[in-house]
Amino acid sequence: MATAFITGSARGIGAAIALRLAKDGFNIALNDISEAMFEDNDIIDRIRAEGVECEKFICDVSSYAEAEKTVKAIKERFGSIDVLVNNAGITRDGLLARMSEEQYDTVVAVNQKSVFNMSKFVGSIMMRQRSGRIINLASVAGVYGNAGQMNYSATKAAIIGMTKTVAKELGSRGVTCNAVAPGFIKTPMTDKLTDEQKAMMLNQIAMKRFGEVEDIAGVVSFLASKDAGYVTGQVIEISGGIMM
Ligand code: NAI
């Protein structure tokens, strides 16, 4: 059975993607930064209830050494890694004039370096397998920019460049690499925004509703499927039509 590895998947979009890929028949390697993220959380049971195997692998995706160890452990446990979803991400918002060096560096490490780490280690397994799917979580902030998110939008724009580069480097080995760029999706990450910020966002969305995590999981499921075998280097916006 094929295996999917989803980073930052204890909750939010990552958990929804993991559950959807389990329904699609993949064994699931979950990941998050700490054991605590899986306490009072039934995601593992819900995935196993789909009749697939599921294990969690705790690691800080921004650490090169931890990423290497984790990928090795997943390969040993499941035998192959067929789908990698680089989902883990954080925000540390602030206007440029007030943004600290720490705020900038932390977001770059977690959102961007993690994609280098995991794509490198999983990519080398996929090249040897001569097949694989890498799906990266970008954001509309990386396409259009967003006031208060210089750090975050930098990482999400970088992910678009990284996606196209990986697509070019690994394409001849049967590995595709695509990105999804969500707009405003209801998760713990966006719960933090003020009502005023939420109202401003809603106004710009053609469909006049915020996205659900399942809206992202469905497109990721397609990109991981056989039907998307000739799709690579693409960025699919899932935003209900924001800023067209
Ligand atoms: P979330 O905050 O609900 O979930 C992110 C998960 O990543 C958490 O479980 C967190 O513990 C984990 N994580 C954080 N740092 C980590 C690290 N160093 N190592 C391992 N795991 C770590 O966020 P959400 O909303 O589910 O976002 C998922 C992805 O989607 C992120 O990359 C985010 O930038 C992207 N996205 C989200 C949007 C939204 O509206 N919610 C919009 C555009 C993109």
Side-chain angles (χ1 to χ4, degrees), residues 8 11 13 32 59-61 87 138 152 156 183 185 187 189-190:
R11 70 173 193 199
I13 293 172
D32 220 285
C59 119
D60 177 350
V61 291
N87 166 80
Y152 183 81
K156 296 302 182 178
I185 311 301
T187 69
M189 180 182 271
T190 47

Side-chain angles (χ1 to χ4, degrees), residues 5-7 84-88 114-115 118-119 134-138:
F5 167 36
I6 305 101
T7 67
L84 164 66
V85 185
N86 282 309
N87 166 80
S114 62
V115 176
M118 291 304 180
S119 304
I134 300 177
I135 300 151
N136 296 324
L137 269 288

